[in-house]
Every structure is written in structure tokens, then in C-alpha cells.
Amino acid sequence: MDTANQLASVGTFQVLKLPLGFIRVLEWLFAIFAFATCGGYTGQLRVSVDCMEKASSNLSIGIDFSYPFRLHQVAFEAPLCEGMRREHLFLIGDYSSSAEFFVTIAVFAFLYSLMATIVYIFFQNKYRENNRGPLIDFIVTVVFSFMWLVSSSAWAKALSDVKVATDPDEVQLLISACKDQTNKCGSVHGPRWSGLNTSVVFGFLNFVLWAGNIWFVFKETGWHKGTARYPGGAPEKQAGTFNQQPYNQGSFDQSGGYSAQGDLGQPSEYSQVGGPTSYSNQM
């Protein structure tokens, strides 16, 4: 408890009230939702095969599939409607690359957001000590923004293909008995897609968060501080130069010794003409 209290006292939790820290916390939470809704998904569909020979019928064929959606490895059995014979079938498609890419980006984004938040809170001085910390933060934020856009788009396309491949009507086309008009095949229920649809939504929300945070991270870099400092510094320097000239001229004139205007504008008391004249009169 003492260690926790010391860390809490040293940490600058005020940064969480700023857009930079607050958005990082949102990125951390939304990344959890993204990979949890995708990586933890398990779906099921059921079809029925009603044969002419009722003894061979199977009115509830369950087909389970889950992340990473290697559907070509999902097996199920269906009756051939020829006695008690059955056939061993597989679904079609492999969408693991897009799903795993999406989850990988979400996990790494979660880890980086957590690490960045800790740095903002407990190591704020070292983060601002030089331009290296904000610069690395800026580059990583730009990269993750792009990766979120790519992975979310790829996963959205893969999800639409998964929905087609696991459609009960499409699965019935794989069953040999369903090609015989004397047999009746139907759909009991299809998969529920709310969880995977939510993962796509969170993917694009993460892209919006990371892209929006680029500006706030950029403000911490020396690039932004340099562009903000130079336009304001140049006029001040010029103004100081112009203000210095009247002051120097005034102080130079007040000295009275070598002012060209003062010597030429007024006659001197000790002029050579006036001096000898007054001396001769005294004699």
C-alpha cells in the first residue's frame, strides 16, 4: 500500500483530463472491445435433411465454427438418404489471415495505449525532457491509425465472406442428399452476427480515435513548438531594433557635445569674433 500511495502521489493524473491522456484511455478500452468481440466469437448454424426414408433423416445438423474462421477445417456429417450411410463434409473458405491481423493490431494497440498512459502519468518529465519521446509517440500514433484502417477494412470484407459461407442455404448446397428433389432440406437457424458486427464497429472507432489523436501528439513534438515559436520571435526582434534607434539618438543628442544640429543651429558664446571685440573694449 505504501508503494501504491507513493506512485499515486508522484503520478501526474491531471494529464488524463487533457485530450492527449483522455483519448489514450479510450483507445485502451476500445482496443479491448475490438479483440474481445472478434477473438472470443463462437457461432453455430443448423440445417435439416428430411429423407424419403424417415429413418435416415436428420432434422438438426449442428455446425459449430469460431475464431480464427478456418472454415475449411470445420467438419460435419450429413445423411446420404441411402440407408444409414453418411458423408463427411467441410465448410468452404479460410478467413484466418484477416481475422488474426485485426486481433493482432488490437492487442498491440491495447499494449501501447496502456504503456503510453503509464508514461504520461508517472514519467511525464522524462517524456518531455527532449523531443525523442513525443516524436516516437507521434510516429507510432500515425502508424497505428493506418493499421487500424487497413485491418478494419480487411476484417469487414472477410466478415461478409464468412456470412456467405455459413449461410444455411449455402451449406445445403454442399450436402449431396439436398440435390435430390425427393428429399427436403431446410434451415433450422443461422449464426448470430451481433458480436462480429460490433467488432467491425469498434475497429473503425479505433481508427477515428487514433487518427484524431495525431494532432494532440503532434503538439507535443518540437516540430509544432518550433513553428509556433519562430513566427512570434521575428517581429519582436525587429520591434526591439527599431525602438532602440530613437533611444540612442535621443541620448546622443542630450549629451550636448557633438550634436550636429545643436552646433550649426545656435551661435557659441565663445566665438572668435565676439571674444577679441570685448577684450579690446576693456582695454
Side-chain angles (χ1 to χ4, degrees), residues 15-25 213 216 219:
V15 72
L16 299 180
K17 297 181 180 180
L18 301 176
L20 180 65
F22 180 72
I23 294 178
R24 280 286 183 242
V25 175
N213 203 23
F216 298 105
K219 290 174 65 177

Side-chain angles (χ1 to χ4, degrees), residues 72-190:
H72 66 287
Q73 297 179 357
V74 177
F76 64 98
E77 291 185 351
L80 286 172
C81 294
E82 296 176 359
M84 300 302 295
R85 294 178 57 191
R86 294 180 176 273
E87 61 178 344
H88 197 69
L89 301 172
F90 292 89
L91 296 179
I92 299 176
D94 182 7
Y95 309 98
S96 59
S97 59
S98 298
E100 290 176 342
F101 178 51
F102 178 80
V103 171
T104 300
I105 295 300
V107 171
F108 279 105
F110 159 76
L111 294 176
Y112 181 79
S113 299
L114 179 61
M115 182 187 68
T117 304
I118 293 174
V119 171
Y120 293 163
I121 296 175
F122 299 106
F123 304 100
Q124 185 66 227
N125 293 332
K126 293 184 178 180
Y127 175 79
R128 299 177 182 273
E129 193 173 35
N130 51 43
N131 194 39
R132 182 179 300 176
L135 184 59
I136 295 176
D137 196 15
F138 173 74
I139 294 174
V140 173
T141 302
V142 172
V143 171
F144 267 112
S145 300
F146 176 74
M147 299 304 290
W148 270 118
L149 178 61
V150 173
S151 62
S152 299
S153 301
W155 171 230
K157 176 61 171 62
L159 178 57
S160 64
D161 294 337
V162 171
K163 290 180 179 179
V164 173
T166 57
D167 187 4
D169 295 334
E170 295 292 329
V171 174
Q172 293 174 27
L173 301 177
L174 303 176
I175 302 175
S176 300
C178 296
K179 299 176 182 179
D180 190 352
Q181 298 296 328
T182 59
N183 302 319
K184 295 180 180 179
C185 298
S187 171
V188 178
H189 68 77

